[in-house]
Amino acid sequence: MSTEPRKNGEAAPVEAANFIEEFINEDLANGVYDEVYTRFPPEPNGYLHIGHAKAICLDFETAMKYGGKCNLRYDDTNPGKEDTEYVDAIEEDVKWLGFQWAKRCWASDYFDEMYDCAVMLIKKGKAYVDDLTAEEMKEYRGTLTEPGKESPYRNRTVDENLDLFRRMKDGEFADGEKVLRAKVDMASPNMNMRDPVIYRISHATHHNTGDKWCIYPMYDFAHPIEDAIEGVTFSLCTLEFEAHRPIYDWVLREVGKWENPPRQIEFARLELTNTITSKRKLKALVDDGIVDGWDDPRMPTVAGMRRRGYTPEAIRQFCRDIGISKSNSLVDFAELEHCVRDDLQNKVESRHVVENPIKVVITNYPEGKTEMIPVENNRNVPEMGEREVPFGRELYIDGEDFMEVPVKKYFRLYPGNEVRFKGAYFLTCNEVVKNEDGSIKELLCTYDPETKGGDSPDGRKVKGTIHFVEASTAVKIKVRNYTNLLVEDENGELVPDEDSVHETYAYAEPSLGDAKPGERFQFFRHGYYIADSKYTTEDEKVFNRIVSLKTSWKKK
Ligand code: ATP
Ligand code: MG
């Protein structure tokens, strides 16, 4: 522990927003640490998901709040499962979320130093090579109610251990034949303290160190050393590591190289309704071809949410809103959608798009004439200005805006009813023309030229306002609406719903013909949409529904 007084400009306590910041404030005030240095330590064995986004926001924002630093560290101590594709994806995702790391580090860069630390422990009599099989080791470990039994190899001499560990490193033994264990306490009530394995043999090629090593450090040994080497002060991790904190502290204390070792603080994992937050399970969805890659717009991965059209601001806000807690809970996915809607509502322009289009012919409107109707780009933000949409004799309206036999309180178009066509005129439906199969061919309507602009000079009121797309200039677009990728089966297990992409064609006002991949819009009265980054081309515009306009979810 440093006893030096803190220097000018060093981190000072801030108003604590959660229990982690309370711990930090205490440590800063007591001079335990003079800076806030955190890290985000993903294992590069898959794409990041919404749970990681929470950890990223916490790690980076906590450091930022105290004027500190945060590293991006690849926790690559498991050869075989890790891949550089994932490394690139992780970097893109962290940057997209809006964060910049102080350093990018690799746990595998510290393998030499970790090996030295292990040798040090052996020399202190604090680690030994064990020949028990995995099976036997499990037996010897005891249970929560019974103490463990000491391995017959536990009392090997230091020299014997040094020799065997070196030979493990030199590749003399097969996978699983021997392990190095910390010598802690086989009777500890904490199972993680019953001589945990700290090195194992694995003759696998590592993506960074190649075939240099055939022994690899285990998480409980590697993680505290990684943190300490980087000068991390607060190592934030999820709750399942709480019971590992004694071994984290034990390793740092026994290795004893660091004057001011880091402090581990645990917080609750983020779990969302209808959502898997496990890379392994998400990888299975990709490998089984159930989704269109890791960035499928239905995936809870950062890449999927990006392609779906979620914004980094919305995700960060969501992570702040749900807060940091010490107990696990399930968050309603609708809360994330609420943040997305909230962020988009003042940012994106609206466009007229109609799904399941029905044709309207205005029998008293001049043939061949079109006029331009001004409409606001964003109802909430007048500064976003106006644009013009064409209006003419033939229009399309949305299938939901007409009922041949209206239900009660239906104020949109039906035979005999007059409604406002937004910003244009009042129209009355006079006749429904059918195809031979009984489906609707077109609606014959008349308009009132006196109602231009959408108001009647005689004060006549209409109850419904609907939007439209002019037929001769309409652009046909592909629209993909999504429902939950995962749904509960009869046992309450989350299983993929093969029918969670609903693709239709729609007619849009002409400007959408120029939409670029990644551009977002509100489809007026429908929802927020983004031009899909993978499938949108010059000739075909494909839109993902980001989120619908309405929700039943209420902010607490
Ligand atoms: P997975 O089970 O998906 O592989 P993991 O925890 O093994 O998750 P890591 O790459 O080791 O994945 O995680 C990097 C960091 O992200 C860790 O600090 C971990 O605690 C945190 N993290 C992972 N999942 C969540 C979650 N659901 N909520 C909050 N933090 C998480
Ligand atoms: Mg992990």
Side-chain angles (χ1 to χ4, degrees):
M1 192 192 288
S2 160
T3 49
E4 295 284 340
R6 284 193 283 136
K7 292 174 234 113
N8 277 342
E10 286 170 346
V14 299
E15 193 177 335
N18 54 50
F19 71 94
I20 293 180
E21 293 180 1
E22 281 167 18
F23 287 159
I24 293 176
N25 283 348
E26 255 170 50
D27 283 355
L28 292 176
N30 294 333
V32 180
Y33 302 110
D34 56 18
E35 66 173 335
V36 174
Y37 206 143
T38 60
R39 86 291 171 258
F40 171 64
E43 184 178 356
N45 62 349
Y47 280 56
L48 301 180
H49 52 62
I50 182 71
H52 294 114
K54 174 174 171 175
I56 292 169
C57 289
L58 179 65
D59 291 324
F60 281 91
E61 288 182 354
T62 303
M64 282 156 73
K65 189 162 171 183
Y66 288 88
K69 292 182 197 148
C70 181
N71 286 354
L72 172 61
R73 179 202 314 142
Y74 296 107
D75 210 349
D76 57 344
T77 53
N78 263 324
K81 279 196 268 165
E82 297 159 357
D83 201 301
T84 46
E85 176 200 346
Y86 301 135
V87 168
D88 297 340
I90 288 169
E91 279 175 31
E92 185 181 358
D93 289 349
V94 174
K95 283 194 218 151
W96 179 77
L97 283 171
F99 300 111
Q100 185 55 57
W101 47 88
K103 285 190 207 151
R104 184 186 51 188
C105 310
W106 304 84
S108 55
D109 283 345
Y110 315 138
F111 281 169
D112 284 294
E113 195 162 348
M114 289 179 193
Y115 180 80
D116 293 343
C117 291
V119 168
M120 215 141 99
L121 287 186
I122 295 174
K123 287 184 179 159
K124 278 179 81 177
K126 294 287 183 179
Y128 61 97
V129 173
D130 199 352
D131 297 4
L132 290 184
T133 63
E135 197 93 315
E136 289 166 330
M137 222 182 292
K138 207 169 149 205
E139 256 178 60
Y140 275 70
R141 218 169 153 227
T143 63
L144 282 174
T145 50
E146 280 168 61
K149 249 188 350 193
E150 293 186 357
S151 161
Y153 305 98
R154 197 174 196 259
N155 293 316
R156 279 177 161 150
T157 63
V158 168
D159 284 339
E160 194 182 352
N161 281 318
L162 284 174
D163 176 60
L164 287 170
F165 188 50
R166 183 190 48 74
R167 287 164 59 196
M168 276 169 66
K169 176 179 87 127
D170 291 343
E172 284 188 31
F173 308 112
D175 291 8
E177 211 180 316
K178 289 188 170 25
V179 292
L180 184 71
R181 297 179 73 172
K183 198 180 212 174
V184 191
D185 178 6
M186 286 308 290
S188 171
N190 181 339
M191 303 284 282
N192 299 304
M193 298 296 271
R194 294 186 187 172
D195 292 10
V197 173
I198 59 175
Y199 262 94
R200 68 193 169 107
I201 300 172
S202 172
H203 290 269
T205 302
H206 187 278
H207 75 99
N208 185 23
T209 55
D211 293 322
K212 174 172 174 192
W213 296 91
C214 63
I215 54 170
Y216 291 93
M218 304 297 286
Y219 180 93
D220 280 339
F221 178 70
H223 209 84
I225 295 178
E226 294 159 24
D227 286 340
I229 290 174
E230 290 172 19
V232 163
T233 53
F234 299 96
S235 180
L236 312 180
C237 65
T238 37
L239 222 47
E240 66 270 29
F241 293 104
E242 190 172 23
H244 295 247
R245 191 178 349 125
I247 189 71
Y248 181 97
D249 292 337
W250 183 93
V251 168
L252 292 172
R253 196 170 57 242
E254 293 300 339
V255 171
K257 276 175 60 161
W258 299 280
E259 196 192 331
N260 210 15
R263 170 175 184 180
Q264 174 180 302
I265 305 174
E266 310 84 18
F267 62 95
R269 286 178 82 82
L270 170 61
E271 304 289 354
L272 283 167
T273 53
N274 293 87
T275 307
I276 285 174
T277 46
S278 148
K279 279 179 283 188
R280 185 176 53 78
K281 291 184 187 163
L282 292 172
K283 186 169 188 298
L285 295 174
V286 175
D287 291 345
D288 297 346
I290 289 166
V291 294
D292 175 26
W294 285 96
D295 68 347
D296 185 293
R298 293 166 295 166
M299 289 279 271
T301 51
V302 175
M305 293 189 288
R306 174 166 60 238
R307 189 164 152 212
R308 176 73 175 262
Y310 289 12
T311 58
E313 293 81 6
I315 296 171
R316 293 203 305 262
Q317 188 60 46
F318 169 71
C319 293
R320 277 193 286 270
D321 283 357
I322 55 174
I324 301 302
S325 104
K326 259 269 167 218
S327 57
N328 288 319
S329 66
L330 190 64
V331 176
D332 192 335
F333 196 86
E335 190 163 353
L336 174 56
E337 293 187 319
H338 165 83
C339 291
V340 173
R341 211 177 274 120
D342 211 45
D343 184 48
L344 293 178
Q345 67 174 352
N346 296 328
K347 272 188 184 166
V348 306
E349 294 190 358
S350 95
R351 293 290 182 265
H352 284 190
V353 174
V354 297
E355 280 182 36
N356 305 313
I358 299 178
K359 191 173 225 177
V360 165
V361 179
I362 310 174
T363 50
N364 63 338
Y365 192 87
E367 295 213 29
K369 176 178 167 180
T370 50
E371 56 187 300
M372 298 307 286
I373 306 291
V375 287
E376 71 260 88
N377 282 325
N378 185 321
R379 219 188 243 183
N380 303 331
V381 190
E383 306 81 70
M384 286 173 76
E386 293 187 335
R387 69 185 189 287
E388 293 188 316
V389 297
F391 182 89
R393 186 180 154 90
E394 299 199 345
L395 308 167
Y396 291 112
I397 62 168
D398 198 278
E400 292 210 332
D401 287 339
F402 176 78
M403 281 187 99
E404 195 168 0
V405 183
V407 292
K408 233 178 147 185
K409 295 213 170 151
Y410 188 79
F411 299 124
R412 295 175 244 174
L413 203 59
Y414 56 86
N417 192 35
E418 186 174 46
V419 299
R420 176 188 294 107
F421 275 43
K422 188 178 160 56
Y425 297 98
F426 287 7
L427 269 82
T428 305
C429 174
N430 304 307
E431 192 185 334
V432 183
V433 183
K434 300 270 178 82
N435 293 307
E436 268 176 20
D437 65 0
S439 60
I440 297 174
K441 179 167 181 250
E442 58 194 24
L443 307 176
L444 301 183
C445 298
T446 46
Y447 84 121
D448 176 357
E450 298 300 314
T451 56
K452 187 171 168 87
D455 281 306
S456 156
D458 63 11
R460 196 162 86 245
K461 294 269 182 273
V462 289
K463 279 197 167 154
T465 299
I466 65 175
H467 67 285
F468 58 87
V469 170
E470 196 276 323
S472 70
T473 51
V475 180
K476 197 174 181 186
I477 60 172
K478 200 186 257 186
V479 171
R480 303 177 120 219
N481 293 327
Y482 300 99
T483 48
N484 284 333
L485 169 62
L486 298 161
V487 289
E488 276 185 20
D489 68 6
E490 57 276 13
N491 305 319
E493 299 278 330
L494 286 179
V495 292
D497 176 5
E498 309 269 348
D499 189 31
S500 47
V501 183
H502 311 271
E503 199 172 88
T504 61
Y505 284 93
Y507 285 120
E509 62 174 86
S511 66
L512 277 192
D514 300 324
K516 302 275 172 297
E519 263 190 293
R520 298 180 182 87
F521 302 96
Q522 186 201 102
F523 288 1
F524 187 62
R525 299 172 60 223
H526 274 283
Y528 293 98
Y529 285 80
I530 186 168
D532 187 77
S533 53
K534 192 160 162 187
Y535 296 125
T536 298
T537 63
E538 211 38 56
D539 300 327
E540 188 176 48
K541 308 299 170 188
V542 181
F543 286 90
N544 298 319
R545 182 166 69 198
I546 305 169
V547 65
S548 62
L549 281 187
K550 292 208 180 64
T551 174
S552 52
W553 186 82
K554 288 263 181 323
K555 201 173 173 128
K556 279 172 229 112

